[in-house]
């Protein structure tokens, strides 16, 4: 029987720095990702949310092997890929795509669109000549752009069209897993909706599995099947999307959700304003990393790391009071 899990991360960490300098003592590492366990199911969209700097983009880059993990394990389709290199890594990378946030910065402005889209084909020596041109035209059609776009330069396109080019490039090698890193965040709301619609159509048509990284709770509610909430390099809550929005158990998730506008004026919502700034990942607070800002923190929270508590099928929260927490 096929394993329903396409991609699995176990104890994934990524620390920047932490090396000894020529003069002086060893600097503490910046714990960008600090022991993340995740499973991405075949064909689903797993959302990852959290404030800027929480480590969500680093997780995305680790999973598609654009960054090396400091420790931990990544398994893709049953194969461990954590330490692959050379030909084996190139082979796996063909199955892993990534769309970046800024469609202006992520495309080389001097290259023609056709060459930008076909670059992965060239790198992997997959198609040349007429076959390459045919594939580029096919990809442009898939993302809703005319074949003539291949001859033009990125600056001739709008932001939404550029993101379509970025998507065409990401699916060029027919990947099975695509990381969408704030893929619509830089776009106007009406354009966002069109690009999200395109992503949904491509997922259906090509059988793609997505990791959807965003800081926008309203957007992730619309697109994700399940959502992981990250804080200071760790996943603090994970649940099916509807369950998370209906019944958040972690105080951090409750605060994030309290800031999402509610369309129903009859439904009152209390805004939870978190005090203070996010602590430095160079020196995370002891105990629960969130205790310095948590409105529910008790004495235990500053001393003891909270356990991962299952509060409903498929719903886990990392909090001493997860089973007691009332929705804000
Ligand atoms: Fe807040 Fe304590 Fe739960 Fe951490 S463990 S989220 S500080 S209540």
């Amino acid at each position: 029987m096929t394993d329903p899990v396409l991609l699995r991360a176990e104890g994934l960490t990524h620390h920047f720095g932490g090396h000894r300098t020529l003069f002086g003592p060893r600097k503490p590492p910046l714990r960008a990702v600090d022991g993340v366990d995740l499973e991405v199911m075949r064909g689903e969209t797993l959302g990852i949310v959290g404030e800027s700097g929480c480590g969500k983009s680093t997780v995305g880059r680790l999973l598609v092997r654009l960054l090396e993990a400091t420790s931990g394990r990544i398994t893709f389709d049953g194969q461990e890929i954590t330490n692959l290199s050379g030909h084996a890594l190139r082979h796996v990378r063909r199955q892993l795509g990534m769309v970046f946030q800024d469609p202006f910065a992520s495309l080389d402005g001097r290259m023609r669109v056709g060459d930008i889209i076909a670059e992965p084909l060239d790198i992997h020596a997959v198609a040349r000549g007429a076959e390459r041109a045919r594939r580029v035209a096919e990809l442009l059609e898939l993302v809703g752009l005319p074949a003539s776009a291949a001859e033009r330069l990125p600056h001739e396109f709008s932001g939404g069209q550029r993101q379509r080019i970025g998507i065409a490039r990401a699916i060029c090698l027919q990947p099975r897993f695509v990381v969408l890193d704030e893929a619509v965040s830089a776009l106007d709301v009406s354009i966002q909706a069109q690009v999200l619609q395109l992503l949904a159509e491509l997922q259906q048509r090509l059988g793609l599995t997505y990791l959807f990284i965003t800081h926008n709770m309203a957007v992730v509610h619309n697109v994700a099947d399940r959502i992981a909430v990250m804080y200071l390099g760790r996943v603090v809550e994970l649940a099916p999307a509807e369950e998370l929005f209906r019944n958040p158990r972690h105080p951090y998730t409750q605060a994030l959700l309290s800031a999402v506008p509610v369309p129903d004026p009859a439904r009152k919502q209390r805004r939870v304003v978190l005090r203070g700034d996010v602590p430095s990942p160079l020196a995370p607070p002891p105990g629960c990393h969130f205790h310095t800002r948590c409105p529910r923190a008790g004495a235990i929270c500053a001393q003891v790391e909270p356990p991962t508590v299952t509060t409903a099928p498929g719903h886990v929260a990392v909090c001493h009071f997860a089973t007691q927490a009332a929705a804000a």
Side-chain angles (χ1 to χ4, degrees):
M1 207 181 86
T2 311
D3 186 352
V5 178
L6 178 64
L7 193 141
R8 181 178 282 119
E10 295 164 274
L12 197 61
T13 69
H14 185 74
H15 296 172
F16 291 102
H19 50 273
R20 195 177 292 284
T21 53
L22 198 54
F23 309 102
R26 185 186 293 272
K27 290 188 169 174
L30 189 151
R31 298 160 184 269
V33 174
D34 200 14
V36 164
D37 295 324
L38 273 182
E39 288 182 339
V40 190
M41 317 306 279
R42 293 174 197 273
E44 79 165 343
T45 297
L46 175 66
I48 298 198
V49 298
E51 289 163 293
S52 173
C54 70
K56 55 192 188 303
S57 291
T58 308
V59 166
R61 283 170 166 75
L62 288 168
L63 294 183
V64 294
R65 290 291 322 272
L66 286 178
L67 273 179
E68 293 290 324
T70 306
S71 63
R73 185 179 149 98
I74 304 167
T75 313
F76 177 72
D77 203 16
Q79 179 193 8
E80 181 171 358
I81 63 167
T82 327
N83 299 308
L84 289 184
S85 60
H87 176 74
L89 177 59
R90 273 203 304 283
H91 178 74
V92 162
R93 277 234 181 95
R94 287 176 56 170
Q95 302 178 63
L96 310 170
M98 181 136 187
V99 178
F100 298 92
Q101 173 177 3
D102 188 346
F104 291 87
S106 62
L107 306 178
D108 186 336
R110 296 159 303 179
M111 287 174 73
R112 291 179 320 137
V113 164
D115 293 330
I116 290 172
I117 293 173
E119 201 175 24
L121 296 175
D122 300 339
I123 290 169
H124 290 268
V126 173
R128 293 202 173 85
E131 172 58 16
R132 180 182 184 273
R134 188 194 63 74
R135 182 78 184 122
V136 168
E138 188 180 271
L139 285 160
L140 284 167
E141 197 211 323
L142 260 180
V143 299
L145 292 172
S148 60
E151 301 304 320
R152 293 159 62 190
L153 293 168
H155 72 82
E156 298 174 55
F157 295 89
S158 68
Q161 288 171 325
R162 286 195 206 207
Q163 200 53 303
R164 287 172 187 264
I165 295 166
I167 293 166
R169 184 188 154 99
I171 61 171
C172 173
L173 293 169
Q174 299 175 305
R176 296 160 67 200
F177 174 68
V178 180
V179 172
L180 304 160
D181 186 4
E182 300 278 12
V184 297
S185 303
L187 306 175
D188 292 342
V189 174
S190 61
I191 307 297
Q192 272 187 12
Q194 293 169 16
V195 174
L196 289 173
Q197 180 62 33
L198 169 67
L199 288 168
E201 286 166 12
L202 291 174
Q203 184 172 37
Q204 282 287 318
R205 205 159 155 183
L206 307 176
L208 297 171
T209 299
Y210 288 150
L211 187 78
F212 191 93
I213 298 169
T214 181
H215 65 278
N216 189 322
M217 297 300 286
V219 168
V220 82
H221 190 197
N222 285 328
V223 303
D225 298 300
R226 295 186 303 139
I227 299 173
V229 181
M230 284 191 70
Y231 185 77
L232 267 187
R234 294 179 174 179
V235 173
V236 296
E237 185 158 14
L238 192 151
E242 280 311 318
E243 159 76 8
L244 188 90
F245 272 72
R246 211 178 32 242
N247 193 19
R249 307 307 296 187
H250 195 284
Y252 179 59
T253 311
Q254 291 168 358
L256 291 181
L257 291 179
S258 77
V260 179
V262 182
D264 180 359
R267 228 182 95 197
K268 288 223 163 52
Q269 181 164 278
R270 186 170 66 83
R271 176 85 192 262
V272 182
V273 180
L274 296 176
R275 59 178 189 254
D277 294 327
V278 181
S280 167
L282 286 167
C288 174
H289 286 183
F290 186 54
H291 83 260
T292 53
R293 303 172 76 200
C294 180
R296 284 183 57 87
I300 190 177
C301 302
Q303 288 153 22
V304 181
E305 287 203 14
T308 300
V309 181
T310 300
T311 63
H315 187 169
V316 294
V318 185
C319 174
H320 288 297
F321 308 118
T323 53
Q324 301 166 29

